[in-house]
Structure formats: C-alpha cells, structure tokens
C-alpha cells in the first residue's frame, strides 16, 4: 500500500463518508506531486472508491489545485474588484515585466509560476499577492523587484 494511500485513508477516517475527503485527499496528492497529474487522480480515486474523472471534476472547480505543472514558487495576484480598484493590474504588469512571462505562465527555468486569482479574502489590504501561499499586502509595482529578487535568491534563477 502506498504512503499516499495511507495518508488519504487516515484523512478519510475523519469523515462520515469517504467521498467527503476528496478535497483534502487531492491536497495531499498535490503536495506529493507538486501538481495533479493523471496518476494522482488515479491514486486518490482508488483510495476513496471514486473514479479518477470524479476527482478531476472536483479539482478543476477549485483554483488552488494545479492541473498543469507549476514552478518551484508561485506568485498569485488577486485581480478581483477591490484589488483592481487599488492597482492590481499595475502590480500584475510589474511582475510580468520583472519575470519576463505573462499571467498563466512559468519562467523557462521552472522557478516561478505567475497567475491571477479571484478574491483572496484580504480586500481591505489590496493589492493582495500570495507568494508561495503566504499573503503580501499591499503589493505595489515598486515592491515587485524585491519580491522577485527574493525568489531568485532561493532558486538561483527566475
Ligand atoms: S478583491 Fe482582492 S482580496 Fe478581495
């Protein structure tokens, strides 16, 4: 029995029905693989007596699940209305310039993935940027070179 399957079974025991554990199980699989490749869906499905298609349908609904490979670091910029009103687009463009990629892309060296997200729940402190899932707020265009510099120092690239 695989280690991932054991972890999923342990999580599933907290729920009255196995299928209710699908989101935490997908999270465990994503932690294992870094994203959700087909084998991750097969493993989650087998552990929870579901189909891979069902697991993928759940994952595809949620923004936090990656259906494609992502970089070693992720930069996510909220472009929803509150952040948009205080300059999220300019912050996004600053990241695009600094990283040399567009939103939805990963740097050629695989160091950083950049994407936009919907409301991150920090509307009063926008523009909100999540760097490796930790919020930075507010992030102005002039803050971007220092953030990218941090990422470059920890990956030797970007
Ligand atoms: S709109 Fe950006 S955090 Fe809510």
């Amino acid at each position: 029995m695989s280690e991932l399957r054991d972890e999923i079974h342990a999580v599933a025991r907290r729920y009255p029905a196995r299928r209710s554990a699908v989101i935490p199980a997908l999270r465990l699989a994503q932690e294992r693989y870094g994203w959700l490749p087909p084998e991750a869906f097969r493993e989650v499905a087998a552990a929870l007596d579901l189909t891979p298609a069902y697991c993928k349908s759940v994952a595809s609904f949620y923004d936090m699940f990656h259906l494609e490979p992502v970089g070693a670091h992720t930069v996510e910029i909220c472009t929803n209305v509150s952040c948009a009103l205080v300059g999220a687009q300019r912050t996004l463009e600053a990241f695009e310039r600094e990283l040399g990629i567009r939103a939805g892309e990963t740097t050629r060296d695989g160091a950083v993935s950049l994407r936009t997200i919907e409301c991150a729940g920090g509307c009063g402190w926008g523009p909100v940027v999540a760097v490796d899932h930790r919020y930075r707020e507010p992030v102005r265009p002039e803050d971007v070179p220092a953030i990218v510099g941090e990422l470059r120092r920890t990956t030797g690239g970007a």
Side-chain angles (χ1 to χ4, degrees):
M1 188 175 283
S2 79
E3 193 178 311
L4 179 58
R5 184 176 293 192
D6 289 344
E7 289 176 37
I8 293 171
H9 283 170
V11 167
R13 282 194 285 276
R14 298 183 206 151
Y15 295 86
R18 274 184 164 210
R19 69 185 303 123
S20 302
V22 66
I23 289 177
L26 289 166
R27 220 180 98 208
L28 287 169
Q30 185 165 277
E31 285 171 10
R32 170 68 46 92
Y33 290 99
W35 65 294
L36 291 172
E39 56 265 40
F41 292 119
R42 286 195 290 272
E43 285 187 70
V44 170
L48 297 178
D49 295 327
L50 300 169
T51 66
Y54 175 82
C55 296
K56 188 171 184 178
S57 74
V58 172
S60 67
F61 182 79
Y62 294 99
D63 213 26
M64 75 283 262
F65 290 122
H66 306 302
L67 305 184
E68 303 284 337
V70 291
H73 296 287
T74 56
V75 174
E76 300 169 307
I77 301 162
C78 173
T79 52
N80 218 297
V81 65
S82 297
C83 290
L85 289 171
V86 292
Q89 186 62 33
R90 289 192 308 277
T91 298
L92 170 62
E93 289 165 3
F95 273 106
E96 289 179 333
R97 273 194 309 277
E98 199 68 26
L99 291 167
I101 56 174
R102 305 293 305 264
E105 296 179 345
T106 298
T107 55
R108 193 173 290 173
D109 61 2
V112 180
S113 289
L114 177 67
R115 66 181 193 140
T116 59
I117 56 172
E118 298 301 322
C119 180
C123 311
W125 297 275
V128 173
V129 174
V131 178
D132 294 334
H133 310 292
R134 299 191 70 163
Y135 285 10
R136 312 279 181 102
E137 50 196 17
V139 177
R140 310 277 179 217
E142 58 269 26
D143 303 320
V144 168
I147 293 171
V148 171
E150 278 175 44
L151 300 177
R152 285 188 172 125
R153 280 191 295 281
T154 60
T155 57

